[in-house]
Amino acid sequence: MIWLGIDTANMPLSVAIVKDGTILAEVNSSMAVNHSLRAMPVIEELFATVQLQPKDIDAIAVSEGPGSYTGVRIGVTIAKTLAWTLKKPLFGVSSLKVLAANAVYFDGLICPIVDARRNNVYAGVYEFVDGGLTAIAEDGHFAIENLLDVLASKERPVLFVGKDVAMHEELMKERLKENAVIAPFPLQLPRASSLIFIAQQSGQEENTHAFTPEYRRIAEAEANWLMQQRKDQDNE
Amino acid sequence: MDKDMYILGIETSCDETAASVVKNGHEIVSNVVASQIQSQQRFGGVVPEIASRHHVEQITLVIEEALAEANLAPSDLDAVAVTEGPGLVGALLIGINAAKAFAFANGLPIVGVHHIAGHIYANQLMQPMEFPLLALIVSGGHTELVLMEKHGSFKLIGETRDDAAGEAYDKVARVLGLPYPGGPHIDKLALESDEAVDFPRAWLEPDSYDFSFSGLKSAVINYKHNIEQKGGEVNPSHVAAGFQQSVVDVLTEKTSRAAKEYGVKQVIAAGGVAANKGLRASLDAVFEKEGLPFYVPPISLCTDNAAMIAAAGTSMFVSGKRGTMEMNGRPGMELVSWND
């Protein structure tokens, strides 16, 4: 089985080709470059490196978000187009679970974090149980303060993973005291090989045409519209 | 052309997800458009984030349908043409990345097409273009007069200095309380009205082919305000008729004057506002009198579609133009000739 994995959900870019449980090639980067400029060239380059044709792959795994709306859509669009036209199965995996996979042997809670501006984060809470990652709480969009309060109440060590952790490190240590553990920099970036691993272990095949990102937030215009609808209803 | 050439076109620059196969640059084999109008109506206009979300839901389905209707496999295609810009960047990126992934998977070349070149080439799907040719492009984002000496050669001779014609239509429609998109509603009211409010026409400098519609929009707002302050009630039909007459008069006069000055053999109109019945009738009448061939594509080819992108893309492809896997969305892309 040959797998292609793609993660463009946030600033880091990761693409991997895995064959029968071996990483043939993987590219990881974290630069402020539009994914539309880099993602397809990196994919093309990776196929050339491992001397495979697009039709040689057997399955595709993609990071489905949450994260940057535009970023996640680029990866998802590429993945679903490849899966559809090559007639290969498509697997979507949480971008946060991919980050959590960097820290699987941690004894405690694993909290992958992606900054969402204005003191908000996308975050999940995972635990490594019986050789796999179990979600303790659903991935979501949280005010960092609220998230840390909930984590503090668990009274367990929490490992924070992700390159945006540094932005909130002080607050984490203030709220969780010695229970706040910060993952070192080699564990900062999501890896497409982990994405493939999770898809193989616990992934569910997607309906390719219907597959869309997990935004974990409705668009602002839609939120405003819903609020207006409710107001109108109350006034009636 | 010895062998038939099939190009897949993809268009996602605004709120239509579209794919089409065009044969030899002028024959539509399939033309699929998934519109978001119903969803976007809630917001009274196109919300970029909502548009992008819909595109990613629709994109592979729309391409699949275009190929199925054409009864072609990817291996039957010669190239993929996609709108590179201008437009909403997040929306453009969906079509571009789908096009790149599709081209990569199937070993096909890719061509990045300017949206307005597409609107112009919509005419090539109806009848062969004859040069020199004058194109009036009128849509929600554009109001331009473009001179073409040959295929793939564009000279901008006039453009709007503020609002696009379609933008003015949408804004005035909102002032009159008409639903989005406003253009067709104003057109309908204007055609039914027996009376028209007299609004100013922005002619600008005597020799200019540029346009300006923001003053007209303000005039409509002021007119409504004045009437309402005096306790009166505005008749939307009379306002629509007056507004439409002002827009149509300026567009018609400038197009006709440019056609004469440049001695063109053919005049075409393109873009969403070219679907406007009042504008079509006025241009038809003027050029019939002058004995100059004037064409407007059917409404389905005036609004955003991918057949026009495939048609323009074919001309680019034949001229040797190729895009790369680094193609990015270009929201402010300028119309550049590909055949100098």
Side-chain angles (χ1 to χ4, degrees):
Chain A
M1 278 282 273
I2 302 174
W3 283 70
L4 170 67
I6 304 166
D7 188 337
T8 64
N10 291 287
M11 194 205 279
L13 170 73
S14 185
V15 182
I17 296 177
V18 169
K19 184 181 181 183
D20 301 331
T22 304
I23 300 173
L24 296 185
E26 181 167 32
V27 170
N28 299 297
S29 64
S30 182
M31 296 183 298
V33 177
N34 186 312
H35 286 310
S36 190
L37 284 172
R38 285 262 298 154
M40 278 311 300
V42 166
I43 291 169
E44 193 176 32
E45 192 184 298
L46 223 56
F47 273 95
T49 303
V50 302
Q51 296 184 313
L52 288 173
Q53 298 299 316
K55 63 173 170 44
D56 296 332
I57 55 169
D58 299 296
I60 298 169
V62 67
S63 168
E64 66 188 11
S68 141
Y69 292 164
T70 299
V72 69
R73 273 194 292 265
I74 288 174
V76 166
T77 300
I78 290 172
K80 69 189 272 192
T81 305
L82 289 176
W84 159 68
T85 191
L86 294 167
K87 301 186 176 71
K88 308 293 179 187
L90 175 67
F91 295 81
V93 174
S94 152
S95 61
L96 294 165
K97 193 171 185 182
V98 175
L99 264 181
N102 283 354
V104 280
Y105 296 106
F106 182 72
D107 186 13
L109 299 176
I110 304 166
C111 179
I113 291 252
V114 171
D115 188 65
R117 284 179 288 197
R118 282 175 265 174
N119 294 317
N120 292 310
V121 291
Y122 292 111
V125 185
Y126 292 85
E127 193 169 8
F128 187 59
V129 187
D130 300 330
L133 282 168
T134 301
I136 302 293
E138 202 180 337
D139 290 352
H141 179 262
F142 307 100
I144 181 79
E145 304 249 355
N146 297 348
L147 174 74
L148 294 177
D149 284 346
V150 172
L151 290 171
S153 71
K154 306 273 182 195
E155 295 182 340
R156 291 182 64 189
V158 179
L159 179 69
F160 293 98
V161 202
K163 71 175 219 14
D164 297 339
V165 167
M167 300 169 69
H168 306 285
E169 192 175 332
E170 239 172 81
L171 197 61
M172 290 164 176
K173 286 180 170 160
E174 185 195 309
R175 293 296 164 88
L176 276 78
K177 309 287 187 252
E178 67 283 356
N179 274 339
V181 187
I182 309 298
F185 79 85
L187 305 183
Q188 274 173 358
L189 301 185
R191 298 187 57 184
S193 53
S194 297
L195 168 64
I196 293 169
F197 182 68
I198 295 167
Q200 287 175 347
Q201 273 197 321
S202 56
Q204 286 209 327
E205 191 182 332
E206 308 283 351
N207 172 338
T208 300
H209 282 314
F211 183 61
T212 51
E214 285 291 346
Y215 296 105
R216 299 285 170 193
R217 253 190 112 183
I218 62 171
E220 204 178 322
E222 204 146 27
N224 293 339
W225 180 79
L226 286 171
M227 210 144 65
Q228 192 59 47
Q229 297 292 302
R230 266 179 228 132
K231 260 192 216 155
D232 292 351
Q233 260 173 12
D234 292 347
N235 292 340
E236 268 168 25
Chain B
M1 265 179 266
D2 300 320
K3 184 187 153 289
D4 286 333
M5 181 178 282
Y6 292 95
I7 307 258
L8 170 71
I10 297 174
E11 148 71 33
T12 63
S13 68
C14 190
D15 61 344
E16 321 273 6
T17 318
S20 158
V21 177
V22 168
K23 181 179 171 183
N24 298 332
H26 59 80
E27 190 182 319
I28 297 176
V29 188
S30 65
N31 190 15
V32 179
V33 181
S35 173
Q36 308 175 2
I37 282 192
Q38 278 198 320
S39 168
Q40 301 281 7
Q41 263 170 349
R42 291 178 292 171
F43 313 113
V46 176
V47 178
E49 174 58 24
I50 303 287
S52 302
R53 289 186 179 198
H54 284 300
H55 286 311
V56 77
E57 283 166 26
Q58 296 292 331
I59 189 71
T60 55
L61 262 177
V62 167
I63 300 173
E64 180 174 79
E65 208 173 311
L67 289 173
E69 271 184 27
N71 200 15
L72 292 174
S75 58
D76 298 321
L77 298 171
D78 291 278
V80 182
V82 63
T83 309
E84 190 175 358
L88 304 170
V89 68
L92 288 165
L93 285 172
I94 305 304
I96 289 170
N97 282 284
K100 289 197 290 187
F102 182 84
F104 169 69
N106 296 294
L108 292 169
I110 184 168
V111 186
V113 178
H114 192 281
H115 185 75
I116 293 306
H119 275 304
I120 293 173
Y121 270 81
N123 283 277
Q124 179 78 358
L125 298 164
M126 303 311 297
Q127 70 283 318
M129 293 164 124
E130 278 190 58
F131 306 102
L133 172 152
L134 180 70
L136 169 69
I137 297 116
V138 271
S139 72
H142 304 269
T143 309
E144 280 145 34
L145 275 169
V146 174
L147 180 70
M148 292 179 72
E149 301 277 3
K150 56 183 172 180
H151 274 296
S153 158
F154 308 97
K155 193 177 153 207
L156 186 68
I157 60 172
E159 64 186 323
T160 182
R161 292 183 185 170
D162 39 62
D163 292 349
E167 209 176 339
Y169 267 94
D170 284 342
K171 285 177 181 169
V172 166
R174 212 169 302 161
V175 170
L176 295 178
L178 301 171
Y180 169 86
H185 294 281
I186 291 188
D187 193 19
K188 190 162 177 282
L189 283 182
L191 292 175
E192 289 166 1
S193 179
D194 49 1
E195 223 177 285
V197 180
D198 190 26
F199 289 119
R201 278 116 179 95
W203 298 113
L204 307 175
E205 304 79 38
D207 58 343
S208 173
Y209 291 119
D210 281 351
F211 303 97
S212 167
F213 296 109
S214 72
L216 172 59
K217 176 195 65 194
S218 304
V220 172
I221 294 169
N222 289 340
Y223 170 82
K224 183 171 181 252
H225 194 71
N226 280 337
I227 298 251
E228 284 172 352
Q229 251 186 351
K230 290 176 197 150
E233 213 171 294
V234 171
N235 182 320
S237 299
H238 296 176
V239 173
F243 166 77
Q244 171 135 316
Q245 243 168 45
S246 170
V247 174
V248 167
D249 276 1
V250 175
L251 291 174
T252 306
E253 206 280 331
K254 296 209 177 204
T255 307
S256 149
R257 188 154 51 83
K260 265 185 224 140
E261 184 184 330
Y262 291 97
V264 300
K265 289 194 180 134
Q266 200 180 73
V267 179
I268 61 173
V273 181
N276 184 288
K277 292 198 184 76
L279 178 61
R280 280 175 183 238
S282 167
L283 289 166
D284 257 337
V286 160
F287 290 113
E288 200 189 316
K289 209 168 83 190
E290 290 170 10
L292 200 56
F294 167 72
Y295 301 108
V296 195
I299 288 170
S300 63
L301 292 177
C302 279
T303 49
D304 288 352
N305 65 87
M308 67 183 200
I309 300 303
T314 306
S315 173
M316 294 180 74
F317 182 69
V318 170
S319 299
K321 293 288 167 196
R322 299 291 182 272
T324 71
M325 284 295 136
E326 287 180 17
M327 192 188 291
N328 201 355
R330 293 171 63 192
M333 186 178 183
E334 295 211 5
L335 180 59
V336 176
S337 301
W338 59 76
N339 184 17
D340 288 318

